[in-house]
Coordinates of all heavy atoms in Angstrom, one line a residue:
M1 N -14.7 9.6 -6.1 CA -13.4 9.7 -5.6 C -12.4 10.2 -6.7 O -12.4 9.8 -7.8 CB -12.9 8.3 -5.2 CG -11.8 8.4 -4.2 SD -11.5 6.7 -3.5 CE -9.7 6.8 -3.3
P2 N -11.6 11.3 -6.3 CA -10.7 11.8 -7.3 C -9.6 10.9 -7.7 O -9.2 10.1 -6.8 CB -10.2 13.1 -6.6 CG -10.4 12.9 -5.2 CD -11.5 11.9 -5.0
A3 N -9.1 11.0 -8.9 CA -8.0 10.1 -9.3 C -6.8 10.5 -8.5 O -6.6 11.7 -8.1 CB -7.8 10.3 -10.8
K4 N -5.9 9.5 -8.3 CA -4.7 9.8 -7.6 C -3.9 10.8 -8.4 O -3.8 10.8 -9.6 CB -3.9 8.5 -7.5 CG -3.8 8.1 -6.1 CD -2.7 7.0 -5.9 CE -2.5 6.7 -4.4 NZ -1.8 5.5 -4.2
K5 N -3.2 11.8 -7.6 CA -2.4 12.8 -8.3 C -1.1 12.1 -8.8 O -0.6 11.3 -8.2 CB -2.1 13.9 -7.3 CG -3.3 14.8 -7.1 CD -2.9 16.0 -6.4 CE -4.1 17.0 -6.3 NZ -3.8 18.1 -5.4
R6 N -0.7 12.6 -10.0 CA 0.5 12.1 -10.6 C 1.6 13.2 -10.6 O 1.3 14.4 -10.7 CB 0.2 11.7 -12.1 CG -0.8 10.6 -12.2 CD -0.2 9.3 -11.8 NE -1.2 8.3 -11.5 CZ -0.9 7.1 -10.9 NH1 0.3 6.8 -10.6 NH2 -1.9 6.3 -10.7
C7 N 2.8 12.8 -10.5 CA 3.9 13.7 -10.5 C 3.9 14.6 -11.7 O 3.6 14.1 -12.8 CB 5.2 12.8 -10.5 SG 6.7 13.8 -10.7
Q8 N 4.1 15.9 -11.5 CA 4.0 16.8 -12.7 C 5.3 17.0 -13.4 O 5.4 17.9 -14.2 CB 3.4 18.1 -12.2 CG 1.9 17.9 -11.9 CD 1.3 19.1 -11.1 OE1 1.6 20.2 -11.4 NE2 0.4 18.8 -10.2
F9 N 6.3 16.2 -13.0 CA 7.5 16.4 -13.7 C 7.4 15.8 -15.1 O 6.9 14.7 -15.3 CB 8.7 15.6 -13.0 CG 10.0 15.7 -13.7 CD1 10.7 16.9 -13.7 CD2 10.4 14.6 -14.5 CE1 11.9 17.0 -14.3 CE2 11.7 14.7 -15.2 CZ 12.4 15.9 -15.1
Q10 N 7.7 16.6 -16.2 CA 7.7 16.1 -17.5 C 9.0 16.5 -18.2 O 9.4 17.6 -18.3 CB 6.5 16.8 -18.3 CG 5.2 16.3 -17.7 CD 4.1 16.5 -18.7 OE1 4.3 16.9 -19.8 NE2 2.9 16.1 -18.3
D11 N 9.6 15.5 -18.7 CA 10.8 15.7 -19.5 C 10.5 15.2 -20.9 O 9.5 15.6 -21.5 CB 12.0 14.9 -18.9 CG 13.3 15.6 -19.2 OD1 13.3 16.5 -20.1 OD2 14.3 15.3 -18.7
E12 N 11.2 14.3 -21.5 CA 10.8 13.7 -22.7 C 9.6 12.8 -22.5 O 8.7 12.7 -23.4 CB 12.0 12.9 -23.3 CG 12.9 13.8 -24.1 CD 14.4 13.4 -23.9 OE1 14.7 12.2 -23.9 OE2 15.2 14.4 -23.8
T13 N 9.6 12.1 -21.4 CA 8.4 11.3 -21.0 C 7.9 11.8 -19.7 O 8.7 12.1 -18.8 CB 8.8 9.8 -20.9 OG1 9.9 9.7 -20.0 CG2 9.1 9.3 -22.3
P14 N 6.6 11.9 -19.5 CA 6.1 12.3 -18.2 C 6.4 11.2 -17.1 O 6.5 10.0 -17.5 CB 4.6 12.3 -18.4 CG 4.3 12.2 -19.8 CD 5.5 11.6 -20.5
C15 N 6.6 11.7 -15.9 CA 7.0 10.8 -14.8 C 5.8 9.8 -14.4 O 6.0 8.6 -14.4 CB 7.5 11.6 -13.6 SG 7.7 10.6 -12.2
N16 N 4.7 10.4 -14.1 CA 3.5 9.7 -13.8 C 3.5 8.8 -12.6 O 2.6 8.0 -12.3 CB 3.1 8.8 -15.0 CG 2.2 9.5 -15.9 OD1 1.5 10.5 -15.5 ND2 2.1 9.0 -17.2
Q17 N 4.5 9.0 -11.7 CA 4.4 8.3 -10.4 C 3.5 9.0 -9.5 O 3.2 10.2 -9.6 CB 5.8 8.2 -9.8 CG 6.7 7.3 -10.5 CD 7.9 6.9 -9.6 OE1 7.7 6.1 -8.6 NE2 9.1 7.5 -9.9
A18 N 2.9 8.3 -8.5 CA 2.0 8.9 -7.6 C 2.7 10.0 -6.8 O 3.9 9.9 -6.4 CB 1.5 7.9 -6.6
V19 N 2.0 11.1 -6.5 CA 2.6 12.2 -5.8 C 2.7 11.9 -4.3 O 1.9 11.2 -3.8 CB 1.6 13.4 -6.0 CG1 1.8 14.5 -4.9 CG2 1.8 14.1 -7.3
L20 N 3.8 12.3 -3.7 CA 3.9 12.2 -2.2 C 2.9 13.0 -1.5 O 2.8 14.2 -1.9 CB 5.3 12.6 -1.8 CG 6.5 11.7 -2.1 CD1 7.7 12.2 -1.4 CD2 6.3 10.2 -1.6
R21 N 2.4 12.5 -0.5 CA 1.4 13.3 0.3 C 2.2 14.4 1.1 O 3.2 14.1 1.6 CB 0.6 12.5 1.3 CG -0.4 11.6 0.5 CD -1.1 10.7 1.4 NE -1.7 11.5 2.5 CZ -2.6 10.9 3.4 NH1 -2.9 9.7 3.3 NH2 -3.1 11.6 4.4
I22 N 1.6 15.6 1.1 CA 2.1 16.7 1.9 C 3.5 17.2 1.4 O 3.6 18.3 0.9 CB 2.2 16.4 3.4 CG1 0.8 16.0 3.8 CG2 2.6 17.7 4.2 CD1 0.7 15.4 5.2
V23 N 4.5 16.4 1.5 CA 5.9 16.8 1.2 C 6.1 16.8 -0.3 O 7.2 17.4 -0.8 CB 7.0 16.0 1.8 CG1 7.0 16.2 3.3 CG2 6.9 14.5 1.5
G24 N 5.2 16.3 -1.1 CA 5.4 16.3 -2.6 C 5.2 17.6 -3.2 O 5.6 17.8 -4.4
K25 N 4.6 18.5 -2.5 CA 4.2 19.8 -3.1 C 5.4 20.8 -3.0 O 5.9 21.0 -1.9 CB 3.1 20.4 -2.3 CG 2.5 21.6 -3.0 CD 1.1 21.9 -2.5 CE 0.4 22.9 -3.3 NZ -1.0 23.1 -2.9
C26 N 5.9 21.3 -4.1 CA 7.0 22.2 -4.1 C 6.5 23.6 -3.7 O 5.6 24.1 -4.2 CB 7.6 22.3 -5.5 SG 8.9 23.5 -5.6
P27 N 7.2 24.1 -2.6 CA 6.8 25.5 -2.2 C 7.1 26.6 -3.1 O 6.7 27.7 -3.0 CB 7.5 25.6 -0.8 CG 8.7 24.7 -0.9 CD 8.3 23.6 -1.9
H28 N 8.0 26.3 -4.1 CA 8.5 27.4 -5.0 C 7.6 27.5 -6.2 O 7.4 28.6 -6.7 CB 9.9 27.1 -5.4 CG 10.8 27.0 -4.1 ND1 11.1 28.1 -3.3 CD2 11.4 26.0 -3.6 CE1 11.8 27.7 -2.3 NE2 12.1 26.4 -2.5
C29 N 7.1 26.4 -6.8 CA 6.3 26.5 -8.0 C 4.9 25.9 -7.8 O 4.1 26.0 -8.7 CB 7.0 25.7 -9.2 SG 7.1 23.9 -9.0
V30 N 4.6 25.4 -6.6 CA 3.3 24.9 -6.3 C 2.8 23.8 -7.2 O 1.6 23.6 -7.3 CB 2.3 26.1 -6.2 CG1 1.1 25.7 -5.3 CG2 2.9 27.3 -5.6
H31 N 3.7 23.0 -7.8 CA 3.3 21.8 -8.4 C 3.6 20.6 -7.5 O 4.3 20.8 -6.5 CB 4.1 21.7 -9.7 CG 3.6 22.6 -10.8 ND1 4.5 23.3 -11.6 CD2 2.4 22.9 -11.1 CE1 3.7 24.1 -12.4 NE2 2.5 23.9 -12.2
E32 N 3.1 19.5 -7.8 CA 3.3 18.3 -6.9 C 4.0 17.2 -7.6 O 3.9 17.0 -8.8 CB 1.9 17.8 -6.5 CG 1.3 18.8 -5.5 CD -0.1 18.5 -5.2 OE1 -1.0 18.7 -6.0 OE2 -0.4 17.9 -4.1
F33 N 4.9 16.6 -6.9 CA 5.8 15.6 -7.4 C 6.0 14.4 -6.6 O 5.6 14.3 -5.4 CB 7.2 16.3 -7.6 CG 7.2 17.5 -8.4 CD1 7.1 18.8 -7.9 CD2 7.2 17.4 -9.8 CE1 7.0 19.9 -8.6 CE2 7.2 18.5 -10.6 CZ 7.0 19.8 -10.0
C34 N 6.5 13.3 -7.2 CA 6.8 12.1 -6.5 C 8.1 12.2 -5.7 O 8.8 13.3 -5.8 CB 7.0 11.0 -7.6 SG 8.5 11.1 -8.5
G35 N 8.5 11.2 -5.0 CA 9.7 11.2 -4.2 C 10.9 11.5 -5.0 O 11.9 12.1 -4.4
N36 N 11.0 11.1 -6.2 CA 12.2 11.3 -7.0 C 12.3 12.8 -7.5 O 13.4 13.2 -7.8 CB 12.2 10.5 -8.3 CG 12.3 9.0 -7.9 OD1 12.9 8.6 -6.9 ND2 11.7 8.2 -8.8
H37 N 11.2 13.5 -7.6 CA 11.2 14.8 -8.2 C 10.8 15.9 -7.4 O 10.6 17.1 -7.8 CB 10.4 14.8 -9.5 CG 10.8 13.8 -10.5 ND1 10.1 12.8 -11.0 CD2 12.0 13.8 -11.2 CE1 10.8 12.1 -11.9 NE2 12.0 12.7 -12.0
R38 N 10.7 15.7 -6.1 CA 10.1 16.8 -5.2 C 11.1 17.9 -5.0 O 10.7 19.0 -4.7 CB 9.5 16.2 -3.9 CG 10.6 15.7 -3.0 CD 9.9 15.1 -1.8 NE 10.8 14.8 -0.8 CZ 11.2 15.6 0.2 NH1 10.7 16.8 0.4 NH2 12.1 15.2 1.1
M39 N 12.4 17.7 -5.0 CA 13.3 18.8 -4.8 C 13.4 19.7 -6.0 O 13.3 19.2 -7.1 CB 14.7 18.2 -4.5 CG 14.8 17.3 -3.3 SD 14.2 18.0 -1.8 CE 15.5 19.1 -1.4
P40 N 13.5 21.0 -5.8 CA 13.5 22.0 -6.9 C 14.5 21.6 -8.0 O 14.2 21.7 -9.2 CB 13.9 23.3 -6.2 CG 13.4 23.2 -4.8 CD 13.5 21.7 -4.5
E41 N 15.7 21.1 -7.5 CA 16.7 20.8 -8.5 C 16.3 19.6 -9.4 O 16.7 19.5 -10.5 CB 18.0 20.3 -7.8 CG 18.8 21.5 -7.1 CD 18.2 21.8 -5.7 OE1 17.2 21.2 -5.3 OE2 18.9 22.6 -5.0
H42 N 15.4 18.7 -8.9 CA 15.1 17.5 -9.6 C 13.9 17.7 -10.5 O 13.8 16.8 -11.4 CB 14.8 16.4 -8.5 CG 16.0 16.0 -7.7 ND1 15.9 15.3 -6.6 CD2 17.3 16.4 -7.9 CE1 17.2 15.1 -6.1 NE2 18.0 15.8 -6.8
H43 N 13.1 18.7 -10.4 CA 12.1 18.9 -11.4 C 12.3 20.1 -12.2 O 11.3 20.6 -12.8 CB 10.7 18.8 -10.7 CG 10.4 19.9 -9.7 ND1 10.4 19.7 -8.3 CD2 10.1 21.2 -9.8 CE1 10.2 20.9 -7.7 NE2 10.0 21.8 -8.6
K44 N 13.5 20.6 -12.2 CA 13.8 21.9 -13.0 C 12.8 22.9 -12.6 O 12.1 23.5 -13.5 CB 13.8 21.6 -14.5 CG 14.8 20.6 -14.9 CD 14.7 20.2 -16.4 CE 15.6 19.1 -16.7 NZ 15.3 18.5 -18.0
C45 N 12.7 23.2 -11.3 CA 11.7 24.1 -10.8 C 11.7 25.4 -11.5 O 12.8 26.0 -11.7 CB 12.0 24.3 -9.3 SG 10.7 25.3 -8.5
L46 N 10.5 25.9 -11.8 CA 10.5 27.2 -12.5 C 11.0 28.3 -11.7 O 11.5 29.4 -12.2 CB 9.0 27.6 -12.8 CG 8.3 26.7 -13.8 CD1 6.8 27.1 -13.9 CD2 8.9 26.8 -15.2
N47 N 10.9 28.1 -10.4 CA 11.4 29.2 -9.4 C 12.7 28.8 -8.8 O 13.1 29.4 -7.7 CB 10.3 29.4 -8.4 CG 9.2 30.3 -8.9 OD1 9.5 31.2 -9.7 ND2 8.0 30.0 -8.6
L48 N 13.5 27.9 -9.4 CA 14.7 27.5 -8.8 C 15.7 28.7 -8.7 O 16.4 28.9 -7.7 CB 15.4 26.4 -9.6 CG 16.7 25.8 -9.1 CD1 16.5 25.3 -7.7 CD2 17.2 24.7 -9.9
D49 N 15.7 29.6 -9.7 CA 16.5 30.8 -9.6 C 16.1 31.7 -8.4 O 17.0 32.2 -7.7 CB 16.4 31.6 -10.9 CG 17.2 30.9 -12.0 OD1 18.0 30.0 -11.7 OD2 17.0 31.3 -13.2
N50 N 14.8 31.9 -8.3 CA 14.3 32.7 -7.1 C 14.8 32.0 -5.8 O 15.2 32.7 -4.9 CB 12.8 32.7 -7.1 CG 12.3 33.7 -8.1 OD1 13.0 34.5 -8.6 ND2 11.0 33.8 -8.2
C51 N 14.6 30.7 -5.8 CA 14.9 30.0 -4.6 C 16.4 30.1 -4.2 O 16.8 30.4 -3.1 CB 14.6 28.5 -4.8 SG 15.2 27.3 -3.7
R52 N 17.3 30.1 -5.2 CA 18.7 30.2 -5.1 C 19.0 31.7 -4.7 O 19.8 31.9 -3.8 CB 19.4 29.9 -6.4 CG 19.5 28.4 -6.6 CD 20.8 28.1 -7.4 NE 20.9 26.7 -7.5 CZ 21.0 26.1 -8.7 NH1 20.9 26.8 -9.8 NH2 21.1 24.8 -8.8
Q53 N 18.3 32.6 -5.3 CA 18.6 34.0 -5.1 C 18.2 34.4 -3.6 O 18.9 35.1 -3.0 CB 17.7 34.9 -6.0 CG 18.1 36.4 -6.0 CD 19.5 36.6 -6.5 OE1 20.0 36.1 -7.4 NE2 20.2 37.5 -5.8
Q54 N 17.1 33.8 -3.2 CA 16.7 34.0 -1.8 C 17.8 33.5 -0.8 O 18.1 34.2 0.1 CB 15.4 33.3 -1.5 CG 14.2 34.1 -1.8 CD 12.9 33.3 -1.7 OE1 12.9 32.4 -0.9 NE2 11.9 33.7 -2.4
A55 N 18.3 32.4 -1.0 CA 19.3 31.8 -0.2 C 20.5 32.7 -0.2 O 21.2 32.9 0.8 CB 19.6 30.4 -0.6
F56 N 20.9 33.1 -1.4 CA 22.0 34.0 -1.6 C 21.9 35.3 -0.9 O 22.8 35.7 -0.2 CB 22.2 34.2 -3.1 CG 23.4 35.1 -3.5 CD1 24.7 34.6 -3.6 CD2 23.2 36.5 -3.7 CE1 25.7 35.4 -3.9 CE2 24.3 37.3 -4.1 CZ 25.6 36.7 -4.1
D57 N 20.7 35.9 -1.0 CA 20.5 37.2 -0.4 C 20.5 37.1 1.2 O 21.1 37.9 1.9 CB 19.1 37.8 -0.7 CG 19.1 38.3 -2.2 OD1 20.2 38.4 -2.8 OD2 18.0 38.5 -2.7
K58 N 20.0 36.0 1.6 CA 19.9 35.7 3.1 C 21.4 35.6 3.6 O 21.7 36.2 4.6 CB 19.2 34.4 3.3 CG 18.3 34.4 4.5 CD 17.4 33.2 4.3 CE 16.9 32.7 5.7 NZ 16.2 31.4 5.5
N59 N 22.1 34.8 2.9 CA 23.5 34.6 3.3 C 24.3 35.9 3.2 O 25.1 36.2 4.1 CB 24.1 33.6 2.3 CG 25.4 33.0 2.9 OD1 25.6 32.9 4.1 ND2 26.4 32.7 2.0
K60 N 24.1 36.7 2.2 CA 24.8 38.0 2.0 C 24.5 38.9 3.2 O 25.3 39.5 3.8 CB 24.4 38.6 0.7 CG 25.3 39.7 0.2 CD 24.9 40.1 -1.2 CE 25.2 41.6 -1.3 NZ 24.4 42.2 -2.3
A61 N 23.2 39.0 3.5 CA 22.7 39.9 4.6 C 23.4 39.4 5.9 O 23.8 40.2 6.7 CB 21.2 39.8 4.7
K62 N 23.5 38.1 6.1 CA 24.1 37.6 7.3 C 25.6 37.9 7.4 O 26.0 38.4 8.4 CB 23.9 36.0 7.3 CG 24.3 35.4 8.6 CD 23.9 33.9 8.6 CE 24.6 33.1 9.7 NZ 25.9 32.6 9.3
L63 N 26.3 37.8 6.3 CA 27.7 38.1 6.2 C 27.9 39.6 6.5 O 28.8 40.0 7.2 CB 28.3 37.7 4.9 CG 28.5 36.2 4.6 CD1 29.0 36.0 3.2 CD2 29.5 35.6 5.6
E64 N 27.0 40.4 5.9 CA 27.2 41.8 6.1 C 26.9 42.2 7.5 O 27.6 43.1 8.1 CB 26.3 42.6 5.1 CG 27.0 42.9 3.8 CD 26.2 43.4 2.7 OE1 25.0 43.8 3.0 OE2 26.6 43.3 1.6
S65 N 25.9 41.6 8.1 CA 25.7 42.0 9.5 C 26.8 41.5 10.4 O 27.2 42.2 11.4 CB 24.3 41.4 10.0 OG 24.4 40.1 10.2
E66 N 27.4 40.4 10.1 CA 28.5 39.9 10.9 C 29.7 40.9 10.7 O 30.4 41.2 11.7 CB 28.9 38.5 10.5 CG 28.1 37.5 11.1 CD 28.2 36.1 10.5 OE1 29.1 35.9 9.7 OE2 27.5 35.2 10.9
R67 N 29.9 41.4 9.5 CA 31.0 42.3 9.2 C 30.8 43.6 10.0 O 31.8 44.2 10.5 CB 31.2 42.5 7.7 CG 32.5 43.0 7.4 CD 32.8 42.8 5.9 NE 31.7 43.4 5.1 CZ 31.5 43.1 3.8 NH1 32.2 42.3 3.2 NH2 30.5 43.7 3.2
T68 N 29.6 44.1 10.0 CA 29.3 45.3 10.7 C 29.6 45.2 12.2 O 30.3 46.1 12.8 CB 27.8 45.7 10.5 OG1 27.5 45.6 9.1 CG2 27.5 47.1 11.0
V69 N 29.2 44.1 12.7 CA 29.5 43.8 14.1 C 31.0 43.8 14.4 O 31.5 44.4 15.3 CB 28.8 42.5 14.6 CG1 29.3 42.1 16.0 CG2 27.3 42.6 14.6
A70 N 31.7 43.1 13.5 CA 33.1 42.9 13.6 C 33.8 44.3 13.5 O 34.7 44.6 14.3 CB 33.7 42.0 12.6
S71 N 33.4 45.2 12.6 CA 34.1 46.5 12.5 C 33.7 47.4 13.6 O 34.6 48.2 14.1 CB 33.7 47.1 11.1 OG 32.4 47.5 11.2
K72 N 32.5 47.2 14.2 CA 32.2 48.0 15.4 C 33.1 47.6 16.6 O 33.5 48.5 17.3 CB 30.7 47.8 15.8 CG 29.7 48.7 15.1 CD 28.3 48.4 15.6 CE 27.3 49.2 14.7 NZ 26.0 48.5 14.8
M73 N 33.3 46.3 16.7 CA 34.1 45.9 17.7 C 35.6 46.3 17.6 O 36.3 46.7 18.5 CB 34.1 44.3 17.8 CG 32.8 43.8 18.4 SD 32.6 42.0 18.2 CE 33.8 41.4 19.3
A74 N 36.0 46.4 16.3 CA 37.4 46.8 16.0 C 37.6 48.3 16.4 O 38.7 48.7 16.9 CB 37.7 46.6 14.6
T75 N 36.6 49.2 16.1 CA 36.7 50.6 16.4 C 36.4 50.9 17.9 O 36.8 52.0 18.4 CB 35.8 51.4 15.5 OG1 34.4 50.9 15.7 CG2 36.2 51.3 14.1
A76 N 35.8 50.0 18.6 CA 35.4 50.3 20.0 C 36.6 50.3 20.9 O 37.6 49.5 20.7 CB 34.3 49.3 20.5
Ligands
LIG101 ZN1 8.3 12.1 -10.6
LIG102 ZN1 9.2 23.6 -7.9

């Protein structure tokens, strides 16, 4: 039987709490964490910048498409 997985968050001291099943896995860096550290912000996720950038790009694209629609309506 494999040993229980431990949270991969390491600061000055490793966390070592048991990993949460399923939701403990970070989709951005593919490491696994306990309930305290599973959010990208909480484990200093390596891909936190990417994650933020994606959200930013998505939001920007949305705003731009809304603006395009608005300007089309204004000229119509
Ligand atoms: Zn932890
Ligand atoms: Zn992560």
Side-chain angles (χ1 to χ4, degrees):
M1 200 171 144
K4 248 195 172 161
K5 287 193 174 172
R6 297 285 161 191
C7 177
Q8 287 170 40
F9 179 77
Q10 293 203 0
D11 207 349
E12 275 142 39
T13 53
C15 171
N16 269 340
Q17 288 201 73
V19 158
L20 285 187
R21 286 176 56 170
I22 306 166
V23 294
K25 193 165 190 172
C26 174
H28 304 292
C29 68
V30 202
H31 287 135
E32 290 173 284
F33 301 95
C34 70
N36 293 333
H37 296 123
R38 71 184 185 92
M39 302 305 288
E41 289 86 353
H42 295 166
H43 62 255
K44 299 175 185 165
C45 187
L46 293 174
N47 281 323
L48 185 55
D49 286 347
N50 279 353
C51 167
R52 284 209 176 122
Q53 189 64 42
Q54 273 175 24
F56 179 83
D57 288 348
K58 221 168 152 183
N59 193 35
K60 196 174 148 205
K62 187 170 167 274
L63 286 176
E64 270 169 15
S65 74
E66 278 169 6
R67 198 161 55 198
T68 309
V69 170
S71 69
K72 269 182 193 157
M73 281 166 76
T75 55

